[in-house]
């Protein structure tokens, strides 16, 4: 993981599902080709960035007529390893967990949450989006028969490490962690920590840059008035 | 925004809240200094990446004794423009909106959700984490008196554009969009689109790399057995 951090184009990878979302929509609308310009407008990023992103998938560009929508979908899915369905488990059926269960796009990404666990007696036995909520103490016994490839942790920060330990002990190797804690896991287990505030930081920096620009524009106009009038 | 995309170190900015989370915890525990090695271990990234990230804030490094915790917190907050409290509004009090309302760390980032709107009669008038849910049709009248700097959109994909139009008409310039749609906004309005599946893509690529490695290791061991035995 330390090694990968260096060589992966993280922003590009994070953008892939957004391209896929757009392309799947175009596919559903019967569109057969898409230009990088169209994608750049949709993504609100520069054309050169779109072209770089897409070249990562290994597709050969047909610049004049654009990319074939179906082919580009296949290439992005192959790039992400999303051709097959990946079974997943969710631990923590609170508001965030429920939001993830209701996220429509996952099914298109071959990501299927098949198990839902919670520790609350109020939730165990109920159904959320058609999945029965199981007792978190059943993780080991459930996964003894058949286990998911990915587990999503949506429990409180205080409970997250214990849940991670249970998951690792049950053979889970990929954890998508929404709790705001750094999990200790043995080598070979991959944790993707999701920090919701990361996007807020992006927005905050943009806001700060705007303010600086507005500030310097103001300063410039004051200068102009003072010296060039 | 198009211009900024080029010059911003996006992964570094997204990591800032995670550093801040760790540093605030250390501050609460009474720790006064932190080494980049400690931060690298916590973040699970390489030392050189941590040093680059931190140098972005403009703090001068004291490599032998580490960084002063309080000072580093100040520099990160200044870098993000998080010294002052930014009032915000949330539109959509569903499961994801509720999860955001319950996100403890926002208060440390000076991000305060003061308005909550929803369109559902079941929710309007109820309280979520101490905030009263207002009718979404009240956005304009509410913001006529005093308005937030940032609005968070957590409504359905189908309703998102209409909500964005209302927000922009009410003078909102910064939108944090959790709906899975590309919003059309006039120039000068900044939209940070949050695609939850971005993290899943990261995890998927790591999984694919592991599989390739395991595959090639297998191949190598087969080769060894065949040719070097």
């Amino acid at each position: 993981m330390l090694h990968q951090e260096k060589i992966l184009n993280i922003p590009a990878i994070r953008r892939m599902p957004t391209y896929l979302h757009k392309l799947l929509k175009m596919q559903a609308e019967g569109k057969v080709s898409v230009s990088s310009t169209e994608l750049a407008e949709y993504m609100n990023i520069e054309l050169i960035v779109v072209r770089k992103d897409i070249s990562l998938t290994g597709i050969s560009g047909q610049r004049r007529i654009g990319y074939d929508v179906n082919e580009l979908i296949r290439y992005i899915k192959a790039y992400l390893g999303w051709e097959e369905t990946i079974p997943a488990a969710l631990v923590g059926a609170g508001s965030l967990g429920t939001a993830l269960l209701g996220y429509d796009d996952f099914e298109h990404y071959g990501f299927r949450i098949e198990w839902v666990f919670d520790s609350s007696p109020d939730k165990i036995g109920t159904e959320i989006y058609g999945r029965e909520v199981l007792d978190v103490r059943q993780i080991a016994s459930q996964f003894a028969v058949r286990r998911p490839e990915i587990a999503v942790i949506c429990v409180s920060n205080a409970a997250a490490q214990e849940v991670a330990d249970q998951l690792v002990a049950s053979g889970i190797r990929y954890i998508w962690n929404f709790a705001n804690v750094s999990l200790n896991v043995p080598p070979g287990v991959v944790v993707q920590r999701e920090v919701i505030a990361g996007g807020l930081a992006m927005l905050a920096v943009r806001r700060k840059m705007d303010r600086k620009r507005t500030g310097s524009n103001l300063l410039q106009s004051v200068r102009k008035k003072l010296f060039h009038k």
Side-chain angles (χ1 to χ4, degrees), chain A residues 20-221:
Chain A
L20 206 48
H21 177 81
K22 171 67 173 169
L23 292 165
L24 290 166
K25 220 179 134 197
M26 293 180 82
Q27 190 183 49
E29 288 163 1
K31 286 177 188 144
V32 290
S33 86
V34 59
S35 67
S36 17
T37 316
E38 249 174 304
L39 290 173
E41 270 170 29
Y42 178 77
M43 304 291 290
N44 201 14
I45 54 175
E46 289 192 75
L47 194 56
I48 180 81
V49 179
V50 170
R51 289 202 174 133
K52 267 192 197 166
D53 286 357
I54 289 178
S55 73
L56 283 175
T57 67
I59 199 172
S60 54
Q62 296 146 292
R63 294 222 170 150
R64 267 177 311 164
I65 59 154
Y67 304 97
D68 181 274
V69 169
N70 294 328
E71 202 186 349
L72 188 49
I73 290 173
R74 269 203 312 280
Y75 270 84
I76 293 179
K77 284 192 172 179
Y79 176 69
L80 298 174
W82 280 355
E83 304 106 321
E84 7 133 44
T85 296
I86 307 173
L90 170 76
V91 189
S95 45
L96 186 60
T98 303
L100 292 179
L101 284 171
Y103 193 79
D104 291 336
D105 260 26
F106 284 152
E107 58 179 291
H108 301 300
Y109 307 157
F111 180 76
R112 194 169 55 207
I113 299 176
E114 298 184 22
W115 294 263
V116 179
F117 298 95
D118 202 281
S119 62
S120 157
D122 294 346
K123 280 178 196 147
I124 296 164
T126 64
E127 271 199 9
I128 303 177
Y129 290 104
R131 280 86 145 197
E132 193 196 340
V133 181
L134 305 168
D135 190 327
V136 75
R137 286 170 298 185
Q138 289 183 296
I139 285 181
S141 59
Q142 282 282 331
F143 296 173
V145 188
R146 182 172 157 266
R147 74 173 176 239
E149 274 212 58
I150 297 177
V152 189
I153 295 184
C154 283
V155 300
S156 68
N157 297 350
Q161 184 61 54
E162 204 194 312
V163 165
D165 293 344
Q166 274 179 273
L167 291 168
V168 169
S170 312
I172 303 295
R173 292 290 164 265
Y174 299 93
I175 295 176
W176 195 12
N177 176 32
F178 284 84
N180 203 355
V181 288
S182 180
L183 298 173
N184 292 314
V185 293
V189 175
V190 176
V191 177
Q192 171 69 28
R193 179 171 170 186
E194 212 57 39
V195 179
I196 298 276
L200 184 62
M202 285 295 302
L203 199 58
V205 169
R206 284 170 170 168
R207 173 176 163 270
K208 215 189 96 193
M209 291 176 89
D210 281 354
R211 300 200 139 201
K212 266 196 186 160
R213 200 158 34 224
T214 318
S216 69
N217 284 352
L218 257 170
L219 203 66
Q220 272 178 16
S221 67

